[in-house]
């Protein structure tokens, strides 16, 4: 059984600021908009906000390329306004966590500008500068490819050296082996913690240590070299240092983003009996039930794959680590389009929330998820904006696919799908702004919006509220154990939870056809109370029922 700690009981709402709400009428979401909607956020029943980066950034990767870690971008407001949002959030009992992006800085960060000035510049070693190979030194130091944009090395004519960028060209990898860089990171953490923030979501944090000798990597279409930094030689050392020197001194929590990490590896970072470098990690395996490795390589949804991922987390982390439960964020298309069914948008969105958030773990909900926002359909590739979309376009082209084909792929799989402005009303610009928004509105805002959802007792929004309230009032959801039934079913996801003599049975159908459900041995549904569900029917057939399309029910046995 897990030890109780406050961060375990949180439900966190993620704001991707550019598309949340525009408060000053320039078409770009901002902190004025957030201030207007704090009561709405609170009304969901969440306990915290995670802000995707708000700092100064040239927006090569929309905020994930930071040019000043201590300054809020003028597009979003300023530090004073941020402090006001922070205080107002705290007044409402909402904690606030910031995105900490320290694998790389923007190439427009002062450190990088200095580091380019010469090999003897004190900032030169803040980054990975290396001589090229070949007679003229114009071959990159190794074969590494970036995750986002071609080769991982970029040549600088003045210095006649290459710098490393594991992501986009404008996202320059910091040399964490340099103790001065680690001191900078600690100072940045302190700056925000001293201001009163309650923790961090640490961006691709497991990538921050890179092998000293940088050998060639196993050739892949993207991110060749990954094996040399995915969990680099000093990663535990550096994260322990941050923990002991900073985090331990504050009552805060940290969630690390860790692509390509399994639950067993996550324990190395989060074990409650160990150093506990991070409190929890965002794993990715449950998001790979309809794709291969990356969203871009789309496959039909495979329920068993998803169930296995969840089961594996609970088995591996049980009593030692803590899961971060999420279905959406700014890096993935919308979940109803993926694991749900647009023909049953409302039913399947409620079902997905139930099957995920009735599990043990800290809850993360992404803006718009609570009203069941969906993917878009853009008509041409030049309507997209993200560096990743364009990189993938090049890769598809190289592999012989037409742009027309790729357009279909991008519409289905691009992370830009989750970045359309939040749909507040059916009115002009969806109530997001008073002017043309920076990015396309999904035309379905006329039907799908917060205002509509507020006025409909049976909306997805109101279901999220009920669900979060139930979670809060019933510690079994947070601390109960996990036992799965009908593991082999490719239509049903059924699990039970046990805690202090109570039992919970969570039954979800992933089928658009009726499915027969019989209660697992040891359960008599007549003795249980149906506490949550997405259909009003209560009818039982013996000790089971015929499930409606995408039906979900939660029974509590006291
Ligand atoms: C993380 C962020 C993503 C960003 C990348 C590079 O995966 O979530 O949005 O592009 O890191 O910083
Ligand atoms: Ca604005």
């Amino acid at each position: 059984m897990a030890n109780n700690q406050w961060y375990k009981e949180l439900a966190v709402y993620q704001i991707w600021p550019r598309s949340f709400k525009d408060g000053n009428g320039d078409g770009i979401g901002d902190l004025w908009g957030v201030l207007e909607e704090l009561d709405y956020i609170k009304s969901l029943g969440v306990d915290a906000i995670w802000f995707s980066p708000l700092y100064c950034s040239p927006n090569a990767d929309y905020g994930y390329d930071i040019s000043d870690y201590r300054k809020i971008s003028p597009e979003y407001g300023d530090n004073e306004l941020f402090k006001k949002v922070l205080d107002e959030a705290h007044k409402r009992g909402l904690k606030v966590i910031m995105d900490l992006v320290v694998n790389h800085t923007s190439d427009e960060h002062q450190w990088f500008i200095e580091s380019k000035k010469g090999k003897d510049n004190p900032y030169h070693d803040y980054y990975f500068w290396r001589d090229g190979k070949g007679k003229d030194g114009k071959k990159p130091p190794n074969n590494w490819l970036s995750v986002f944009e071609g080769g991982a090395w970029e040549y600088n004519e003045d210095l006649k050296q290459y710098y490393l960028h594991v992501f986009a060209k404008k996202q320059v990898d910091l040399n964490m082996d340099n103790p001065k860089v680690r001191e900078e990171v600690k100072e940045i953490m302190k700056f925000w913690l001293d201001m009163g923030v309650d923790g961090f979501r640490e961006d691709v944090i497991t990538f921050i240590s890179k092998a000293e000798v940088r050998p060639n990597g196993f050739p892949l279409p993207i991110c060749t070299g990954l094996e040399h930094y995915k969990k680099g030689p000093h990663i535990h050392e550096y994260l322990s240092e941050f923990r002991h020197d900073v985090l331990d001194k504050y009552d805060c929590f940290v969630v690390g983003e860790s692509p390509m990490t399994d639950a067993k590896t996550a324990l190395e970072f989060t074990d409650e009996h160990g150093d506990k470098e991070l409190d929890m990690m965002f794993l990715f395996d449950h998001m790979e039930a309809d794709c291969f490795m990356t969203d871009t390589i789309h496959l039909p949804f495979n329920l068993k794959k998803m169930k296995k991922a969840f089961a594996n987390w609970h088995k591996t982390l049980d009593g030692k680590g803590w899961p971060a439960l999420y279905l959406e964020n700014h890096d993935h298309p919308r979940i109803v389009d993926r694991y749900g069914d647009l023909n049953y948008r409302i039913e399947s969105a409620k079902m997905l929330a139930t099957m995920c958030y009735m599990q043990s773990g800290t809850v993360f909900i992404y803006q718009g998820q609570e009203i069941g926002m969906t993917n878009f359909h853009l008509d041409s590739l030049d309507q997209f904006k993200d560096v990743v979309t364009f990189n993938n376009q090049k890769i598809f082209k190289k592999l012989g696919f037409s742009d027309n084909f790729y357009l279909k792929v991008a519409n289905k799989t691009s992370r830009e799908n989750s970045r359309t402005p939040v749909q507040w009303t059916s009115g002009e610009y969806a109530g997001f702004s008073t002017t043309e928004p920076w990015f396309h509105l999904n035309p379905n805002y006329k039907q799908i919006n917060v205002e509509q959802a507020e006025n409909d007792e049976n909306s997805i929004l109101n279901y999220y509220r009920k669900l979060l309230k139930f979670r809060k009032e019933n510690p079994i959801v947070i601390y109960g154990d996990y036992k799965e039934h009908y593991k082999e079913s490719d239509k049903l996801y059924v699990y039970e939870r046990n805690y202090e003599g109570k039992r919970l049975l969570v039954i979800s159908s992933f089928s658009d056809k009726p499915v027969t459900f019989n209660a697992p041995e040891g359960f008599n549904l007549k003795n249980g109370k149906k506490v949550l569900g997405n259909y009003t029917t209560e009818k039982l057939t013996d000790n089971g029922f015929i499930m409606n399309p995408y039906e979900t029910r939660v029974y509590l046995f006291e």
Side-chain angles (χ1 to χ4, degrees), residues 88-89 165 357 396 452:
E88 289 296 322
H165 67 92
Y357 301 132
F396 271 72
Q452 180 282 328

Side-chain angles (χ1 to χ4, degrees), residues 505-546:
L505 187 65
V506 183
I507 312 151
S508 301
S509 167
F510 280 73
S511 176
D512 60 356
K513 310 253 162 17
V515 182
T516 307
F517 167 77
N518 292 309
E521 233 185 276
F523 283 95
N524 184 348
L525 292 187
K526 293 196 181 78
N527 297 336
K529 189 174 158 214
K530 185 178 154 207
V531 288
L532 283 171
N534 57 353
Y535 285 84
T536 44
T537 48
E538 300 278 345
K539 229 176 84 200
L540 296 177
T541 54
D542 197 9
N543 194 18
F545 56 97
I546 308 288

Side-chain angles (χ1 to χ4, degrees), residues 21-30 32 75:
K21 187 159 197 192
D22 175 20
N24 70 347
D26 65 355
I28 298 173
D30 52 44
W32 294 280
E75 285 181 319

Side-chain angles (χ1 to χ4, degrees), residues 13-14 48 256 270 293 359 367:
Y13 188 76
Q14 183 194 349
T270 59
M293 303 269 291
Q359 300 182 40
Q367 62 187 36

